[in-house]
Amino acid sequence: YELQVSCTTPLHQARNWLQNAEYPSGGFGDGEARVAETALVGFVFSGTTELELNDRIMSYILSFQEVNGSWADNAYFTALALQYLGTVLQADLVITPENISVDPEFPLPDQTFTFTALIENRSFLTCQNFEVAL
């Protein structure tokens, strides 16, 4: 007897539900948008290609940061906000196999060839002065 379980559909449904629970402000919460709940939802989408959603979540969280650097003078809210922002505010440069080419495709020994790679920036940061090594 073999049991196979697929989590794809329930996870997809849960993500859709979360996306539909977004408030116009870009925040999430039970009854009203809150920084803590918004940061937790942000973790769900931080590793995805939902860049516009992540941008709204990040903007919402940053809009509630106090002058003293905290979120609502609350250690829990501040820790969640910092953890989420630290996750999304990292450079994420990607080179995928389909974006690499060599010309000629099969160079002979001592033959000069051209190596081309398209580097995609999947983060919210502007990346500059980075080094690519083979």
Side-chain angles (χ1 to χ4, degrees):
Y1 179 76
E2 184 177 320
L3 175 64
Q4 294 183 350
V5 178
S6 173
C7 293
T8 304
T9 300
L11 292 177
H12 184 71
Q13 290 172 330
R15 284 179 184 231
N16 283 342
W17 184 88
L18 279 173
Q19 282 182 302
N20 291 329
E22 180 183 4
Y23 285 92
S25 63
F28 293 82
D30 187 19
E32 65 179 283
R34 295 185 188 94
V35 169
E37 287 91 334
T38 302
L40 290 170
V41 171
F43 287 122
V44 172
F45 294 101
S46 65
T48 70
T49 58
E50 299 290 337
L51 298 181
E52 290 179 12
L53 176 60
N54 276 305
D55 192 37
R56 290 191 304 273
I57 291 171
M58 184 174 57
S59 295
Y60 175 84
I61 290 171
L62 288 171
S63 73
F64 284 92
Q65 186 175 18
E66 302 286 340
V67 174
N68 67 8
S70 76
W71 275 264
D73 289 318
N74 182 296
Y76 179 68
F77 294 171
T78 302
L80 281 175
L82 287 175
Q83 192 173 15
Y84 170 71
L85 293 170
T87 300
V88 296
L89 294 177
Q90 293 183 23
D92 186 11
L93 301 178
V94 177
I95 301 174
T96 57
E98 60 270 8
N99 290 326
I100 297 174
S101 65
V102 178
D103 185 35
E105 188 174 356
F106 301 104
L108 299 172
D110 295 325
Q111 182 181 13
T112 301
F113 64 91
T114 302
F115 179 88
T116 306
L118 177 65
I119 302 169
E120 182 181 353
N121 182 2
R122 294 184 179 174
S123 73
F124 294 98
L125 302 176
T126 300
C127 297
Q128 56 189 8
N129 300 325
F130 56 90
E131 184 176 315
V132 178
L134 298 177

